Every structure is written in structure tokens, then in C-alpha cells.
Amino acid sequence: MRNIHLYAIPTSQSLNSHPNRSSPSTISTPIHRPVLERASSSVSTTASTVPQITTGLPLWTRSDEYFPSSSAVSLPVSPESSVDVHDITIPSRGFQSDNNGYSAMPPVPTTELVEEESSARKKVCVAAALSSSSKTTNPSGPTIVSSPLPLPLESASDPIHTRRAVATSSSSFLRSGSKFMGTQQSGRSTYEVHVELKHVDMAESFICGYLHIQGLTEDHPTLTTYFEGQMIGPKYSFITRRRDWGASEKTDIAHWARFPSWRPLAKQAKRPDYCHVNFEQRDHIFMRWKECFLVPDHRVRDINGASFAGFYYICFNQLTGSISGLYFHQSSEKYQQLELSHVSDHGNYYSYEFR
Amino acid sequence: MIAEDDLLPYLRSDDRHGQLGALRSLKNSVIGHSDQKASYLDRGVLDDLLAIIGTPQDGVKDPISDECRIQAGVVLGSFAYSDPEISSRLFTPATLSTLVKVLTQYSPPALLIASLRTLTALLTLRLTPSLVQQFPDLAKSLSELISHYSTACFANYARQDVQVLTNLCTLVPLISPSHSSTQSVSSELTGPLFDLVYGSLKGSQASGLVFDSKLKSTAILALAHVLTPTAAREIAAAGPKFTNPLLALLRAPDTATRLSAASLLTALYTSGKPEITSTSGVTRAPQITTLALTLVPTLMKLLDDTIAAPDHGRKCDPRILHTLAILCREGGDVTDRCVEAGLIKKIVSIIVQVAPNNHFAPGRIFETDGKLLSSSLLCLSALGLYNEDYRKAIIEAGALSVVVAVMNTANTPATREVKIAACHVLRTLSRSVRLLRTTMVESGVVCGIVDLLGDASAEEERPLLENVDNVGSEPEQMDDEPVHTTVTEVAAEEDEEEEDLEVRTAAMAAVCNLVLDFSPLRKPILDKGILPLVVSGARSRYTPLRLNSTWALKHMVFGDDMETKACVMSHLGFPLIIKLCDDKEIQVQEQALDFLRNLTARSETYIDMLFDNVGVDEVFHLVDCKLSLRPVPPIDESEQELLSTQPYYTKVIIAAAYIVVHIAAGYDRHRETVIAHEAVLRKIVQLMRHENYEVRLACVWTLINLTWVEEPNRAPDDVASAGQIHTVSPAGGQSSEQVQQEQSVSSFAELYFADIYRRRAMTLVRLGAREQLEYLKQDPVLDVREKTKTAIYQMDSLVGRSPLSAEDEQDIEAGLSRGVEDAGDAMQIDSELHA
């Protein structure tokens, strides 16, 4: 955030879409499958016995009494005879028709209940036909549901709902609840700044939190904004590629180059195909922080004398927890500096996990 | 032919021939005539039919009797497949038990078919998760029937066998509509269903036997339904000979087969993947296999076809969306593809079709479209699980207003599932700090969600956990005749209650996110008086609700808001939270310990309160137990089960370790309590070699805090109390003498504390902490290495840089034990140490 009396254009833009999202297949995210592979190998011995059809009649001693068809049909079923299943002999214990001429066979499941109700006599007879012959459904036709829907009652305890979303961090400084304090230099003025991280998700290269700045305008002794950050890594490149943020490739390089820790990377990082892998295990994590709206009331769009239309280039030192930042906005004074250091917390880490 | 008025006496007579004639006449008169059905039901025909169907079989061949049973079964089926007003009258315990008896005893195939259809109709009308508990033999009987008829079918493919099998497979998902009931039938049914599916796939390829596509698809869906993660992995391991024919079915001509194949493949490749955590601690959404990606086009095509149909989305098969939901829950590329294919907008268009203008009248709309609505919402919730952009897209598509409208709809059995699904959407949308701070504030979800948590008093009356298991074990209260009715009625009530509990559980899951400290909804929700409801949830005997409630409590004490912490503690009290720390379910333990971790973070007040209410030794005993927690290997389950619970055990250890970190970050007297409990310290030192970096980090933090040298002004109460032991506090004016005395007190205190600090460090060295730290210098995780440096620096500057011999250590110990009173001695030791 900056003082608008010094630098104009009070429009707010938000960090709402990510430059690389349109082509997820290009993201070189490593695939972690060790557990799974171990799993399949451990069960493969038992699995080899699974795909065998159980043969024999394990349960009913009296089965032949009610399954006369098993002896009435010649075996094995040849491909020709099996095509038309109507040829197969139907059990002959007088089940087909009763003395009223109705089929006593219960309607087969393909019969719609409505149909049964409307014209039972005809339908019941027709229903004796097996549905295998009705393979006339148009492949592109609509999916019409005729059978009851055996969907499970959705349970909150069902594993499919309880996939745990674990936010991860690689540094004690870079975690939800971490606090930083320091200053922002704008022209000849220095403002006190506090930053409080609210959510850190290394897997998504995402960070967000509050940025408090003091004394920026007379009306508001403290202004707080909610910001979101992109961590430079496989997901976000050093090149911003956001026209709406107003930073060109040249601007990007000029700002990154101001961080001494970036210089060793300079040569590679300028390459358009450079991927900053393993970013979470390096001493410095580079980010872009974009302020999105005011806290507590996000609906307040304009603050007289202040703007958060630009964004910060950030260099975060994982060893010391210190943060250096450079504010950028096309019409702002260049290279306004943010310098923050971590506020000691003695390992007082709260625990939360989005459900 | 018999006159209709005279039918009933014939039905009740012992004359089988007369009975048979009467049944046939009855069948002719009722089929297609709802008024006739209602009239016969009024005259008690149901009992007659059930009596005939349930005629005891004495082993003697009696074709007439069998024919009567069949006819009675068909008539009953006709009643079942009619208006809901009529079919619901059939839903009695006696009907269910008679029909189940047909399945569990041996019965003619025609009777089987009729009974299966009737059961299917009744269970579709009213889901009954407790059915498998009421009839423990049911799953086994179904399993045997499937085996038997599969064998018959593979042998000669008779029409009736196919019908029986199809009906059996249709029934399978209906007898296990909830997660717990599915688990209970899975072991019985997976084998026979797999054999049937595998046989049908093989049959259609190899032998040329063309299986009825209806049978094939219902069998595949049934298998997909009962599949447990373990079974899924075993089957997936069977490899291409099973999956290739299934993949081929994705191009089958009929939609039901394509859908069933996609559904089974989804179940096979998404079931129970354990959370995967790399050594660096970065957890990524499990990567979906390329195979799963091939399912997306199939399912999207099925969905597009239904949306393009003249009837629009209303006839869309909910199973398409349900399967997509399961797929999308995996995150990653699959979700991306689905979103790129416009899934979010398509789902919202279906919802608009079903309920225009968010009009969710709790009447007919819900009866018919509840499944479709709930599947649609579940799919949305799956899409929003991981990606902030997708959450935003879901909100922009207008889903939040749908959720709010659903939550505010009157509570009926038919709306329950939709409400549960709406809660899941709310839950995933509120996984975003940004959305919590913006869209959620204006959405009006607060009233809806609090209302869904319902009336807490209802359940509070019930006994907790242990006693529930004993409900069935008091036979002396039950007479022979009404036993079945009583048990069934109790079970039906339990079903109702379980569904209500499911709603509360889902709502509580959303509450977990809404009460986080950065959520502007935290205060309005607390002001609505939610705390008693959450505390009551934490007492629930229903584990998922207990888990979510404990989770919500943990989030309420997350952050530095002391007012909320005080408010929570005023409702909760320590006994319950300590009880939850020893819960049967490991994840509840984790949340309860995390609650204590959050409570004690940055708050000496609550450390004291914990000690005062629970007792210092008890707290450390609890922590000690949790630090030593190891998963108990299950007796009859595979290694997989162990792997899937392993992360939770680790999380419990982390939570317990951070309680120690937080206590050690309190005042000096708090650090003293940690040092005094060597058993815990020993565990901490051992855990420095734990495979999880968070555990190692917590251990190192403990050491850092225990070797922390307090700045003189930080803890005035400690310094003062130390001074008071040995001197009388100066009172009155500020004479030079008094100033001098104060200075001496302060220098005494410094020495006193220097001793304490050194002694602490020595204790840690003696327990092996220093060696472990040396090892952690090489830790693969940067953060652990960095904190290790700090710990080593602090420890070494307290005990002296050179490694100490055992003799030195003894000397120092001896010196320290008498040195508290004599500051001079301590100084001597100090100089010795630095010599």
C-alpha cells in the first residue's frame, strides 16, 4: 500500500487468476507414489487368485429342484445360441401362464412401474422378453434413469468427504500465524508495517495474510489490507505475465535484480522456460504479494489518500525470517522498500486445518 | 373366478387351491388400480399376503403352496410399485422381515424375483441403513444367492437366472445406503460380485456369450458400491485383464453400461489413497493416474447428452455427477479437465432446471429430484476442494445462493441429503480466507448453518459411547412376539436419528471453517449461541459428529482472541476435553490435543488454568502417553489400513509435542515443570529422530525454549517470587540503602536464574539431547537445521562449549544441588565451567 498523494491512480485489481493455470499439464509437479506402489506389490500375491470364477454349487443341496433349467439346456452355450437368449429353454414348472392366461412370471425389472400400472396384461407378457435384446439405445442419446438410484446416502464420515487438506510450510517463519514487523520507505517518509500470515500452502505456492500500515493517511491511523502471494516456483514464474498488474518483463527483471540473493539466479531466471524447482528448500523464497481488499470491511473501495493498486516483489529469507520487498506500480515512485523482520514466537504455533 | 368381495376369506383359508385362485383374482383386480389397492390394504390384506409368503417350508414338495407364495409375492410387488401413498403403507417391520426371510431361506426363483423387486421399491422409497443390522444374515444370503445364480448363469444363461441376478444386484446398493452399512456388507459381497462382473466381462469377450447389458451394468454398479479401499487395491492389482474389458465398456452403445464402467473404474482408482507426504513435508493432492483422465471425457459426454436432451437436465442420472464428484475429489489434472470442460456451469444449469429461482419447495420437487440436487452439489463441493480459482468460479456461477436457499428449506426426510450436500459446498467454499472475508459475509449463511446444528438437547439425554453397544443385550425385557417389531422400530428410529446426525455432522464440518479467527462470521456465529451445540456435538456418541465438533472447538481457540477462548472454556470445561484426548478414534484425539495446543499458545494464563484444573502431573502424563503413541497393527487387515491411519498418529505426536513447546514458552516456573518431568523429556529426545520433520522441529523448539535465558524484565512474578524466598521485600521510601538492597536482590536473582538455566541445560545434555542435536545438524529439512543451530548455541553457552565428561557432570550436579542457597558456590561452578 502506498500514499496516494504522492503517486496517483487509485484502482484496485485483484489477484484472481493465475498465469499458468490454463495449461496444467505443463506444470512439472513431481508425482509422489511410493506408498501406492508399495501397496500394490504387497497385495499382488493374493490378488492373483481373485479373477477366477467360482464354480460349483456351494450352497443349496436342493437347488436342482428349483433350477430345472440347468439340466434342460445343453452345455456349453455356443456363441450362436447365446446371441438370442430367447431360444434357451425356460423352466417348465407351470410358471409361464396360469388359467387366466396371464403370465405368472413376475415382471422383469426393465418394466417401468408406470407401464405396469397402465396396461398390465400386455406388459407382463412382453416383459418376459429379456432386456439383452434391447440394445438399441442411441449411444449419444440421453441417459434416462429408469431404475431406482442406489446412491449411498452421503455421509460426512465417508472417506470421500474427509480427504484432509493439509497446509504445509517449510519454514517456522513461513506459517499461518507468523508475524513480521518493520517499515516501508516511500520517498522521504517511513511507515511502520506489520504483516500477519493467515494461510500458507506450499503445495499450491500460495500465501495470504494481513498487511497493516501505520500513518499512511491522517484519517486512518492504521490501514489493513488482505494480500495474497504467489511463490515463485514450478507454478509461478519470475516473469509476472499479468497485463493487469502492469509489470513488463523488463520491470520484473529490474526489480528482482535489486535483491542480492537473486543475482546468482539472474542468468537462468531470465530464460523464458526457466523453472524454479525445489523452491521451498532454498534459503530465499521469492514471491509476489498483491493486496486485494481492505480489512475489516472489504467493500470499502476508496480510501482517501491511499491506494493498493500495485504489488510487491518479495524476497523472503528462510534462515532469518526477514522479508525484503519492493512496491511496484506504474505511476508510483520506483523501488519503495519494504523491510520486515520476524517477530519471535518461541515456537508458539497454533494449529488449524481447513475442514 | 371368485367374486372380489369374497377374496379375503379364501386368502385366509387352508385350502391351497382356493387360496391360489383368490390370489390370481386379487392380482387381476389390483394391478393398475390404486383405489382397489387402498381398499384391500384397509381391509388388512397385507397381513394375509405376508402370511402366505412366509408359509413355513417343511421340506415336503408342495407345488401348490409354492405357487401361492409366488402369487402373493407378485401381488405384494404390485402394491409396492404404485403411488407412494400406497407403497409407503407397505413399509412395516413385518413386510421387511418377511421379504428378507424369502432371501435367507430357500425360495423359488419367481418368488425371489418378486420379493427382490418389492424390497427394491420399498428401500428406494425410504433408505434404511439399519436394515443390515436388523437382519445380520442378509448380506450373507445375498452373497450366496449371487454366487449360486452366477454359476447357473455362466453355465446356461437362463432367462430367470438373469432376472434373479439383476434384481439381486439392484438391491445391493439399497441395503447399504450409508458408509457404515456398506462397510458391513462389503466383505460378504465383494467376492461374488467380482466373480460375476469378471465372468460377465470375460464372457462377452472370450466365449462369445453376450451378457445382458442390464445385468452387466447393475452388477458393475453393485461392485463399485461395495468396494472397500483394500478390495479396490486388490482388484486394481489384478491388472489389465480386468480393467481392459472395463475400459472397452466406456465405449459401449448403451449409456447405463458406460456409466457403470466409469463408476467402477473410478472406485478402483480413487479408493482410499493414503495421504502422501514427502520428506520435505510438502503434501500434494494425490496425482491421478492417466487412466482416471480417460474417464473424464466419457462422463462429460454422458452429462452433455443429458443436458442436450429435450427434457434438459432433469432426467440426468445423478450417478454421473456422483462419479464425477468422486473423481474430482482427487484434485489435480482431473479437476482441471472437468473445469475446463465447463462442469461448474453445467452443474449450475442442472440445479436451475430442477429448482428454478432457487425455489426448493419441500414437496414433490425434493421427492423426485433430491438425488440429482445432492449429487450436483456434491460435485461442486469436490471441485472447490483445493483450488481458489474454482471456488471463485463456483461462487460466480451463483452456487452460494443455492446453498443458502437449500439450508433454509423446511426439514423433511427428503431434504436431508440435499442439505448435507449443501453443507459440503459451504465447507469447501469456506476453505478460503478471501471468500470468508468477502462473499461469505453477505451470504446469510449464519442462520441456516446454526439452525442445521439443531436441537442439542435431544441427544444429550442418551448414554455415551459404551452404553450404546449394550442396547441389544437385554433380552429379558422383550417378549417373544413383539421382539421383532421392537427391534425394527428402534432401528427405524435410529435410521432417522442417524440421518439427523449426518446433517449435523456436515453442518459442523462447515462450522469448523467459519469460526476461524480470520473469519468475520466467527462472532455472529458465536453470538447465535452455537457453543452449547458444539459442546453437545463433542459429547455425541456418533464419532463423525464428535470429530467435527472437537475440530470446531479447536478452531474457536485458534488465534490470540482471549475473549473467545474464555467464552469457549466457560462452556466446555477441562474434563470433556481431557476425555476426548483419550477418544477411541485417533482423529478425535488429534483434534482434542490440538485444542490444548491452541489454548496454551501464547497464553501463560491458560497454561496455569490447565495445570490448576487438570493437575501438572496429569498433564504431563497425558503428553507422555501421546508421545509414545504407536498405531496398533490391526489383526485381520492388511498393511494398508496401518498406512492410512499412520499420519494421524504422527499428528497426535506433533500436537502433544507442541503442548510441551508452549508450556516451555511460558514463564520460568512453567519451564521448571517441564524439566521436572524427565519421562516426557526422554521421549522428546527420542523423537528427535522421528521420520516426520514437524515432530523433529517441535522437539528442537522444546530444547530452544528450555535453554532460553529470560530477559530480566520479562517475568516479574518469577523474579519477585525468587527474591521473596530469601529476603524480605523492602518497603517504604527509597533510601540509598534500600536501593542497594534492591540491587542485591536483583543480582541475586540473576545468579539464581543462571543456576536454574544451567541446570536445565545439564539435564537435557544428560538425557542425550546434545548428541541428538549434533545429528540434526545434517537434517534434510532446512528449517530443522536452522533451529538446531539455535538450540545448540543456547545449550552450549549454558553448559560450556567443550563436551563434558561424566565426572564433570556429576560435580556440577552436586554443586547445583546445594548451590541454590549459596550464590557464591554457583559463581564458583560458573568459573569452573568456563575455565
Side-chain angles (χ1 to χ4, degrees):
Chain A
M1 184 173 265
R2 67 194 175 88
N3 190 311
I4 204 164
H5 292 311
L6 300 171
Y7 328 101
I9 310 189
T11 55
S12 70
Q13 288 154 342
S14 62
L15 180 78
N16 50 20
S17 66
H18 307 299
N20 288 350
R21 294 313 295 161
S22 56
S23 55
S25 55
T26 61
I27 298 171
S28 59
T29 321
I31 297 173
H32 299 282
R33 295 183 51 202
V35 181
L36 205 70
E37 277 157 14
R38 192 172 155 206
S40 10
S41 63
S42 71
V43 292
S44 59
T45 45
T46 54
S48 62
T49 60
V50 174
Q52 287 173 6
I53 302 168
T54 315
T55 49
L57 296 170
L59 67 137
W60 281 336
T61 49
R62 284 180 290 180
S63 60
D64 54 334
E65 187 180 329
Y66 282 110
F67 311 114
S69 60
S70 57
S71 56
V73 178
S74 57
L75 294 173
V77 181
S78 67
E80 295 79 48
S81 68
S82 68
V83 173
D84 187 356
V85 288
H86 302 285
D87 293 344
I88 296 173
T89 313
I90 294 166
S92 55
R93 289 190 70 239
F95 289 3
Q96 286 100 329
S97 64
D98 57 22
N99 51 9
N100 290 320
Y102 301 140
S103 167
M105 287 274 281
V108 293
T110 45
T111 313
E112 300 259 356
L113 70 100
V114 186
E115 290 169 348
E116 183 197 320
E117 295 300 323
S118 57
S119 53
R121 294 181 188 219
K122 258 195 260 172
K123 284 293 174 186
V124 174
C125 296
V126 174
L130 279 176
S131 54
S132 64
S133 58
S134 62
K135 282 184 181 171
T136 50
T137 323
N138 182 357
S140 61
T143 311
I144 307 292
V145 184
S146 59
S147 56
L149 299 168
L151 281 177
L153 180 76
E154 282 310 332
S155 150
S157 53
D158 195 317
I160 59 179
H161 291 305
T162 51
R163 178 89 67 212
R164 301 268 299 259
V166 186
T168 53
S169 74
S170 63
S171 160
S172 294
F173 304 117
L174 204 59
R175 62 167 69 217
S176 165
S178 263
K179 289 175 181 171
F180 302 84
M181 62 179 289
T183 56
Q184 179 172 316
Q185 282 275 337
S186 303
R188 265 171 255 138
S189 312
T190 304
Y191 304 101
E192 193 179 323
V193 173
H194 293 253
V195 163
E196 205 180 327
L197 301 184
K198 289 298 176 191
H199 190 62
V200 179
D201 188 346
M202 303 300 283
E204 290 285 318
S205 303
F206 177 84
I207 189 171
C208 69
Y210 296 164
L211 190 146
H212 312 268
I213 189 161
Q214 284 179 357
L216 198 64
T217 71
E218 280 182 12
D219 298 344
H220 305 276
T222 303
L223 279 170
T224 304
T225 53
Y226 165 84
F227 71 89
E228 287 178 356
Q230 311 173 328
M231 299 182 195
I232 310 302
K235 192 166 174 177
Y236 299 106
S237 138
F238 279 107
I239 310 303
T240 308
R241 294 196 186 102
R242 286 289 299 260
R243 207 170 271 179
D244 53 335
W245 291 16
S248 67
E249 220 163 288
K250 208 175 146 191
T251 327
D252 289 330
I253 301 299
H255 281 82
W256 292 126
R258 292 227 155 197
F259 299 118
S261 49
W262 187 79
R263 285 172 205 151
L265 295 169
K267 214 172 175 183
Q268 308 157 291
K270 285 176 192 167
R271 288 207 323 260
D273 60 338
Y274 174 68
C275 182
H276 192 57
V277 292
N278 211 13
F279 73 99
E280 72 273 12
Q281 286 300 312
R282 298 178 186 231
D283 290 356
H284 295 85
I285 296 183
F286 297 95
M287 302 185 237
R288 278 180 289 268
W289 287 4
K290 176 83 188 78
E291 292 165 288
C292 306
F293 51 81
L294 284 161
V295 175
D297 191 346
H298 70 98
R299 285 163 300 193
V300 176
R301 281 281 162 226
D302 299 311
I303 292 276
N304 192 17
S307 152
F308 50 87
F311 70 95
Y312 293 92
Y313 293 89
I314 295 287
C315 174
F316 172 78
N317 184 332
Q318 292 216 76
L319 308 179
T320 63
S322 66
I323 295 173
S324 299
L326 292 167
Y327 187 81
F328 168 75
H329 187 261
Q330 279 161 326
S331 47
S332 303
E333 182 198 285
K334 282 185 179 167
Y335 311 122
Q336 298 178 57
Q337 251 180 299
L338 184 71
E339 289 297 337
L340 302 167
S341 53
H342 184 252
V343 180
S344 169
D345 53 18
H346 298 276
N348 270 303
Y349 302 150
Y350 287 104
S351 158
Y352 86 90
E353 180 182 329
F354 282 125
R355 190 71 174 114
Chain B
M1 184 70 79
I2 307 164
E4 284 181 3
D5 289 347
D6 302 330
L7 284 178
L8 292 180
Y10 281 98
L11 288 181
R12 288 162 194 168
S13 79
D14 286 338
D15 170 18
R16 294 287 175 231
H17 288 279
Q19 208 175 42
L20 188 57
L23 283 165
R24 283 175 176 152
S25 300
L26 180 63
K27 182 176 73 180
N28 295 338
S29 63
V30 297
I31 286 182
H33 295 99
S34 295
D35 50 340
Q36 287 284 342
K37 288 177 187 172
S39 134
Y40 275 112
L41 281 177
D42 289 341
R43 286 146 67 192
V45 78
L46 180 59
D47 291 341
D48 300 323
L49 290 173
L50 295 178
I52 296 168
I53 294 171
T55 311
Q57 299 296 295
D58 46 14
V60 185
K61 239 182 176 180
D62 184 2
I64 295 289
S65 169
D66 281 346
E67 188 59 28
C68 284
R69 294 175 69 203
I70 292 166
Q71 289 297 324
V74 172
V75 173
L76 192 64
S78 159
F79 279 92
Y81 279 90
S82 46
D83 301 340
E85 296 89 63
I86 290 167
S87 46
S88 60
R89 292 175 65 180
L90 260 57
F91 203 98
T92 67
T95 313
L96 290 179
S97 66
T98 306
L99 291 171
V100 169
K101 213 166 137 195
V102 169
L103 305 183
T104 48
Q105 293 178 345
Y106 101 107
S107 306
L111 179 59
L112 269 181
I113 294 171
S115 304
L116 286 167
R117 295 194 68 223
T118 309
L119 259 182
T120 299
L122 293 181
L123 296 178
T124 308
L125 197 68
R126 195 184 303 171
L127 290 176
T128 315
S130 64
L131 193 74
V132 284
Q133 286 156 23
Q134 292 175 50
F135 306 103
D137 295 339
L138 178 58
K140 191 162 187 289
S141 305
L142 282 181
S143 160
E144 287 171 349
L145 284 169
I146 291 169
S147 287
H148 177 90
Y149 281 93
S150 298
T151 311
C153 213
F154 291 136
N156 52 46
Y157 204 77
R159 179 190 307 170
Q160 206 169 32
D161 296 345
V162 172
Q163 286 176 17
V164 175
L165 267 181
T166 310
N167 281 297
L168 282 167
C169 292
T170 309
L171 187 66
V172 166
L174 286 165
I175 62 159
S176 53
S178 69
H179 181 57
S180 56
S181 56
T182 307
Q183 278 185 321
S184 65
V185 302
S186 178
S187 59
E188 286 286 356
L189 290 169
T190 305
L193 281 171
F194 176 81
D195 290 343
L196 173 59
V197 170
Y198 186 63
S200 73
L201 293 174
K202 216 168 73 171
S204 52
Q205 280 201 327
S207 73
L209 180 75
V210 179
F211 257 74
D212 172 34
S213 70
K214 168 96 180 165
L215 169 58
K216 209 186 302 183
S217 62
T218 45
I220 292 174
L221 279 172
L223 177 60
H225 183 91
V226 298
L227 220 47
T228 59
T230 315
R233 278 185 289 266
E234 283 179 11
I235 292 175
K241 60 184 164 184
F242 185 69
T243 49
N244 280 354
L246 267 183
L247 280 167
L249 288 185
L250 293 176
R251 294 186 296 276
D254 70 303
T255 50
T257 306
R258 275 185 281 157
L259 173 58
S260 66
S263 168
L264 181 55
L265 284 165
T266 300
L268 285 179
Y269 286 94
T270 59
S271 271
K273 278 191 189 173
E275 267 176 72
I276 298 164
T277 310
S278 73
T279 47
S280 67
V282 174
T283 308
R284 293 174 204 281
Q287 299 296 308
I288 208 85
T289 56
T290 36
L291 192 142
L293 283 172
T294 64
L295 297 177
V296 175
T298 305
L299 288 163
M300 289 305 292
K301 178 81 165 63
L302 285 170
L303 189 67
D304 288 345
D305 291 345
T306 54
I307 293 175
D311 238 348
H312 301 291
R314 293 202 66 162
K315 287 215 170 143
C316 176
D317 189 329
R319 285 173 295 200
I320 302 173
L321 290 164
H322 191 256
T323 308
L324 277 167
I326 295 171
L327 265 185
C328 290
R329 281 192 185 102
E330 297 297 313
D333 290 350
V334 170
T335 316
D336 296 338
R337 298 274 168 91
C338 288
V339 174
E340 283 162 23
L343 183 54
I344 293 174
K345 281 188 179 157
K346 283 170 191 170
I347 293 172
V348 172
S349 80
I350 291 172
I351 295 176
V352 171
Q353 294 279 340
V354 176
N357 306 319
N358 287 345
H359 181 66
F360 297 97
R364 211 186 57 82
I365 287 183
F366 264 90
E367 298 287 339
T368 52
D369 298 331
K371 286 278 179 203
L372 185 53
L373 271 176
S374 61
S375 304
S376 303
L377 291 170
L378 280 175
C379 198
L380 283 181
S381 89
L383 289 168
L385 272 178
Y386 308 106
N387 190 302
E388 185 80 14
D389 292 339
Y390 300 164
R391 287 182 202 122
K392 207 169 164 242
I394 292 167
I395 290 216
E396 279 169 2
L400 197 55
S401 59
V402 175
V403 168
V404 174
V406 167
M407 289 199 308
N408 291 325
T409 310
N411 225 348
T412 69
T415 61
R416 278 204 194 96
E417 260 188 280
V418 190
K419 290 193 173 201
I420 289 172
C423 288
H424 285 304
V425 178
L426 184 60
R427 177 175 68 90
T428 57
L429 292 181
S430 58
R431 281 183 165 195
S432 152
V433 183
R434 171 200 274 266
L435 292 177
L436 280 172
R437 288 227 62 98
T438 54
T439 325
M440 290 288 172
V441 181
E442 291 137 29
S443 63
V445 295
V446 174
C447 291
I449 199 84
V450 176
D451 288 348
L452 285 186
L453 290 178
D455 181 18
S457 59
E459 213 214 348
E460 225 158 9
E461 308 291 323
R462 297 184 64 93
L464 279 176
L465 289 168
E466 297 79 16
N467 302 345
V468 174
D469 303 334
N470 300 333
V471 166
S473 64
E474 288 170 14
E476 68 273 9
Q477 294 176 355
M478 298 171 182
D479 300 327
D480 266 353
E481 197 47 43
V483 162
H484 218 97
T485 316
T486 316
V487 170
T488 316
E489 276 171 2
V490 167
E493 273 173 33
E494 277 176 5
D495 280 345
E496 285 270 305
E497 203 181 296
E498 185 178 332
E499 284 170 37
D500 275 336
L501 285 171
E502 290 289 353
V503 177
R504 285 173 64 193
T505 303
M508 197 65 83
V511 166
C512 287
N513 297 345
L514 297 174
V515 297
L516 280 161
D517 79 328
F518 42 72
S519 162
L521 298 180
R522 177 190 257 193
K523 198 168 182 305
I525 286 182
L526 286 171
D527 288 349
K528 269 254 164 192
I530 201 181
L531 260 168
L533 299 173
V534 181
V535 171
S536 137
R539 287 183 201 279
S540 171
R541 73 207 153 81
Y542 186 59
T543 307
L545 178 58
R546 206 163 64 248
L547 173 65
N548 287 351
S549 306
T550 315
W551 202 312
L553 288 168
K554 167 183 96 168
H555 281 182
M556 285 176 184
V557 293
F558 162 74
D560 296 337
D561 176 3
M562 290 299 154
E563 203 182 315
T564 308
K565 278 189 181 178
C567 182
V568 170
M569 286 321 293
S570 71
H571 282 86
L572 179 60
F574 282 99
L576 176 57
I577 204 75
I578 296 297
K579 186 170 182 267
L580 290 169
C581 287
D582 288 324
D583 199 276
K584 283 177 186 170
E585 163 63 42
I586 185 73
Q587 291 191 68
V588 175
Q589 290 189 33
E590 178 203 339
Q591 300 309 320
L593 285 158
D594 263 344
F595 176 92
L596 292 178
R597 168 183 173 178
N598 283 352
L599 190 71
T600 51
R602 293 181 194 162
S603 172
E604 288 85 357
T605 316
Y606 281 102
I607 300 173
D608 284 338
M609 200 186 269
L610 177 67
F611 283 168
D612 291 348
N613 283 278
V614 181
V616 178
D617 289 341
E618 284 74 10
V619 169
F620 282 100
H621 178 70
L622 174 73
V623 169
D624 190 8
C625 294
K626 299 306 165 190
L627 289 177
S628 352
L629 207 61
R630 296 284 178 278
V632 183
I635 299 153
D636 53 354
E637 278 291 340
S638 71
E639 189 192 6
Q640 277 307 315
E641 213 63 32
L642 202 63
L643 281 172
S644 61
T645 54
Q646 182 75 53
Y648 304 125
Y649 283 88
T650 305
K651 280 158 190 270
V652 166
I653 294 176
I654 294 170
Y658 270 105
I659 294 174
V660 181
V661 172
H662 291 173
I663 294 171
Y667 293 136
D668 252 318
R669 57 188 156 83
H670 296 135
R671 279 186 274 286
E672 276 303 286
T673 62
V674 180
I675 285 290
H677 290 85
E678 283 197 8
V680 169
L681 288 175
R682 250 182 236 116
K683 295 276 161 55
I684 293 280
V685 170
Q686 281 168 18
L687 288 170
M688 288 169 77
R689 299 228 181 187
H690 196 274
E691 58 182 8
N692 184 289
Y693 91 104
E694 282 264 21
V695 177
R696 301 196 298 273
L697 187 64
C699 296
V700 177
W701 266 119
T702 308
L703 300 181
I704 291 175
N705 284 345
L706 291 176
T707 53
W708 174 253
V709 176
E710 193 63 80
E711 292 153 29
N713 297 330
R714 182 172 180 246
D717 66 326
D718 283 336
V719 178
S721 64
Q724 274 162 6
I725 300 168
H726 306 285
T727 64
V728 178
S729 297
Q734 287 280 321
S735 74
S736 66
E737 198 181 319
Q738 279 168 335
V739 171
Q740 206 177 354
Q741 201 179 349
E742 273 177 21
Q743 278 172 350
S744 85
V745 167
S746 120
S747 70
F748 172 81
E750 266 173 48
L751 287 168
Y752 171 79
F753 281 109
D755 261 347
I756 287 185
Y757 298 148
R758 193 174 303 111
R759 193 172 165 180
R760 283 181 197 153
M762 295 307 304
T763 306
L764 295 173
V765 170
R766 179 165 52 81
L767 295 174
R770 184 62 184 80
E771 288 149 43
Q772 296 283 59
L773 282 171
E774 201 61 34
Y775 171 79
L776 289 187
K777 275 164 131 180
Q778 313 297 325
D779 197 275
V781 177
L782 180 106
D783 197 26
V784 177
R785 289 199 300 274
E786 284 305 306
K787 294 295 168 291
T788 299
K789 283 184 205 164
T790 311
I792 288 177
Y793 172 79
Q794 289 185 190
M795 199 177 280
D796 284 357
S797 41
L798 282 174
V799 299
R801 280 176 199 285
S802 56
L804 294 157
S805 69
E807 285 168 18
D808 285 342
E809 222 175 295
Q810 276 175 2
D811 284 350
I812 292 162
E813 283 291 313
L816 284 173
S817 61
R818 60 168 201 275
V820 183
E821 283 87 9
D822 192 342
D825 267 7
M827 281 171 75
Q828 209 179 336
I829 292 165
D830 197 18
S831 60
E832 276 172 16
L833 274 171
H834 290 285

